[in-house]
Amino acid sequence: MTHQALSLLAELTYRCNLQCPYCYNPLDLRAYADELAEDDWLRVIDQAAALGVLQIHFSGGEPTLRADLLVALVRRARQRELYSNLITQGTFLDDALLGKLVAAGLDHVQISVQGAHAPLADAIAGTAVHERKVAALARVLQTGLAVTLNCVLHRANIDEVADIIALAEQLGIRRLELANAQLYGWAFRNRAGLLPSREQVAAAAETVASAQARLRERMEIVYVLADYYERYPKPCMHGWGQRFMTVAPDGRVLPCPAAAAIAQLSFENVRDRSLADIWEHSRSFNAYRGMSWMPEPCRSCDRRAIDFGGCRCQAFLLTGDARATDPACTLSPHHALIEHAIADPGAATGAERLVPRRA
Amino acid sequence: MGGEQSIPAFSRGVRLRRVDDSRTVLLVPEGIVNLNAPAAATLSLLDGARTCDDIAAALSARFSSEPAAIAADVRELIGRLAAKGWVVLRTASR
Ligand code: SF4
Ligand code: SF4
């Protein structure tokens, strides 16, 4: 494996007007209040392009809370021939901002909804925004911009997956991402309330598969699995430090958006060092790069070049050691942690209620 | 799909990017597709004006290979990308 940076996730801010309990942002949101300035971000884009990065994803938090900055960065990304993607929940996407983004050269936008219908979706978002989002979606589609509709699935909304697909059909969406919640940050805090049951996951997978077959020519449905219910872990980030990097709002560069939680590591900042230097030489990016760091059972496993031992952040969150085999793997000596969590989802940690994300 | 009278063009949100002399990729929504040399040569001729046949003719002139085989390859590739939604086809009016 040779590593080559291809994709950069630019988290412009962790601020957000919604409070999704499945948010993977870190719990200590206030620690990121000292946000990078426009000059810093422009430099990051220039350095990323020089490093060979081809796609940039503007995210957060809610990136449109820094609308002027966002437009300037999309423009610079286009100048550097980077493909730009905006990941937003859409509540601020009015015609004026949309027009500026399209003029600046935005290639694609991913907009999320919290569910298929207002009462539940609004309850998950923590505020009444569903109808406004659907209206925003219709406007975005009218501009002709390439759109992915995203919905994060969990215990409270996974049963209405058919309705979410129907909503996407109604709107004329070409690409739909249905992503089982990835349990980091606030989502990990809310794991007990978010984890669906095995029956729920099986029913959703069946509904999605039949919709994929039925809509083949009209809509691509990307289904992100619930790794707690899989036999093997996800090939997280296509391997640590192989393709992806994230720049957090405060300028720290992370091999994975959830990596800041790994207390065993510290992360370099684009205010102090160049992106190329950090990518190539930092201790954090090299910590789990390649395969030589792997312990057993990964070290001698046939699948180590397929899934790279799973997710380092999940290994840390569950075992306290980021080097461990991802416990989601059925071969992991820690797999009982997963079995215990799914044995009685909703009661595993005793946390009954979902805690809304807040600063 | 990809018949001789159809004109292929990239969909919104899809861009061909020549990275260097030996590497061209297709940038698509939330993904990067590596292209082999024949695919890269074919797709670099997509301009929303040429028909699939025009593209095949240009390629067989450039690589002096059998026109019928090239035309079949072009149609196959364009058809695959169209099924993915990355290329749209419109019918030539002539
Ligand atoms: S997951 Fe929800 S709370 Fe978190 S950034 Fe996205 S919209 Fe905001
Ligand atoms: S043991 Fe490691 S390499 Fe093998 S399947 Fe599990 S996580 Fe992947």
Side-chain angles (χ1 to χ4, degrees):
Chain A
M1 279 195 308
T2 51
H3 54 276
Q4 163 65 56
L6 292 176
S7 185
L8 183 122
L9 181 70
E11 298 182 323
L12 302 188
T13 179
Y14 281 151
R15 287 173 288 134
C16 185
N17 54 320
L18 306 190
Q19 297 185 286
C20 310
Y22 61 73
C23 189
Y24 68 69
N25 281 174
L27 299 177
D28 56 339
L29 291 165
R30 288 206 193 114
Y32 297 82
D34 184 14
E35 296 175 354
L36 289 183
E38 181 168 324
D39 282 356
D40 298 316
W41 277 117
L42 291 171
R43 191 178 65 243
V44 165
I45 291 176
D46 293 350
Q47 292 179 348
L51 189 54
V53 167
L54 300 176
Q55 280 187 327
I56 184 162
H57 308 274
F58 296 106
S59 181
E62 178 45 47
T64 58
L65 281 170
R66 301 190 71 186
D68 293 344
L69 171 71
L70 174 65
V71 172
L73 299 185
V74 168
R75 192 176 302 121
R76 178 63 68 96
R78 172 42 73 96
Q79 283 164 3
R80 297 286 175 263
E81 286 192 76
L82 298 185
Y83 183 106
S84 60
N85 175 26
L86 170 62
I87 300 173
T88 176
Q89 32 87 337
T91 57
F92 302 113
L93 266 190
D94 57 21
D95 287 336
L97 178 56
L98 257 175
K100 285 186 209 169
L101 289 168
V102 171
L106 184 67
D107 286 294
H108 176 264
V109 53
Q110 184 199 108
I111 304 184
S112 57
V113 289
Q114 278 69 13
H117 309 291
L120 178 61
D122 290 344
I124 295 167
T127 160
V129 286
H130 182 73
E131 298 302 343
R132 198 153 30 111
K133 284 156 153 282
V134 173
L137 260 163
R139 278 202 315 276
V140 175
L141 287 163
Q142 267 182 2
T143 68
L145 205 59
V147 175
T148 295
L149 177 63
N150 161 282
C151 186
V152 173
L153 304 177
H154 47 80
R155 190 178 185 80
N157 71 357
I158 192 167
D159 294 334
E160 55 172 54
V161 69
D163 288 5
I164 297 165
I165 295 167
L167 173 67
E169 261 187 275
Q170 231 172 61
L171 286 162
I173 295 287
R174 293 293 320 256
R175 191 166 184 274
L176 172 65
E177 182 181 279
L178 297 166
N180 278 284
Q182 304 295 303
L183 302 170
Y184 308 97
W186 287 89
F188 188 69
R189 167 80 178 72
N190 281 308
R191 183 175 75 164
L194 292 173
L195 262 180
S197 69
R198 190 177 286 284
E199 292 71 31
Q200 283 182 301
V201 170
E206 208 178 295
T207 303
V208 170
S210 73
Q212 281 168 329
R214 179 172 59 85
L215 297 168
R216 202 159 7 114
E217 298 276 303
R218 276 182 289 151
M219 192 197 298
E220 179 192 3
I221 304 179
V222 179
Y223 187 59
V224 179
L225 296 166
D227 59 353
Y228 275 45
Y229 287 101
E230 294 298 311
R231 198 179 159 89
Y232 300 118
K234 60 194 171 220
C236 193
M237 297 287 113
H238 200 82
W240 184 271
Q242 292 298 316
R243 301 278 180 270
F244 295 94
M245 64 180 132
T246 295
V247 178
D250 65 343
R252 274 186 284 169
V253 188
L254 310 172
C256 161
I262 301 179
Q264 292 165 301
L265 295 177
S266 61
F267 299 94
E268 319 281 340
N269 197 301
V270 292
R271 298 184 213 244
D272 313 319
R273 288 173 66 177
S274 77
L275 216 50
D277 187 21
I278 296 170
W279 170 259
E280 207 52 56
H281 302 298
S282 66
R283 198 173 85 74
S284 56
F285 272 84
N286 284 297
Y288 315 114
R289 199 171 241 160
M291 302 197 191
S292 54
W293 58 273
M294 286 181 180
E296 294 294 352
C298 298
R299 177 177 283 275
S300 55
C301 177
D302 285 348
R303 289 181 56 87
R304 68 189 184 284
I306 298 172
D307 63 34
F308 321 106
C311 175
R312 299 304 89 226
C313 308
Q314 185 147 283
F316 179 82
L317 283 175
L318 296 180
T319 74
D321 179 7
R323 270 181 84 242
T325 295
D326 185 339
C329 180
T330 47
L331 302 174
S332 156
H334 297 290
H335 188 62
L337 293 167
I338 296 283
E339 283 173 344
H340 180 68
I342 60 180
D344 191 4
T349 67
E352 234 65 278
R353 274 187 55 243
L354 295 174
V355 183
R357 173 205 125 122
R358 54 170 183 256
Chain B
M1 193 81 57
E4 46 283 355
Q5 297 297 357
S6 50
I7 299 178
F10 291 117
S11 305
R12 279 286 283 274
V14 175
R15 278 207 277 140
L16 192 69
R17 168 84 194 269
R18 193 166 164 281
V19 181
D20 57 42
D21 287 348
S22 63
R23 184 156 163 257
T24 297
V25 297
L26 199 60
L27 301 174
V28 301
E30 306 184 330
I32 298 170
V33 182
N34 289 311
L35 299 174
N36 60 23
T42 306
L43 296 181
S44 64
L45 294 169
L46 253 74
D47 59 3
R50 290 184 173 95
T51 64
C52 287
D53 270 10
D54 294 340
I55 292 170
L59 288 172
S60 46
R62 175 129 59 104
F63 299 107
S64 58
S65 29
E66 220 251 296
I70 292 227
D73 288 351
V74 168
R75 275 199 289 275
E76 194 271 335
L77 175 68
I78 298 295
R80 228 162 0 108
L81 299 190
K84 281 247 165 215
W86 293 338
V87 160
V88 284
L89 294 160
R90 71 183 167 84
T91 313
S93 50
R94 61 173 168 188

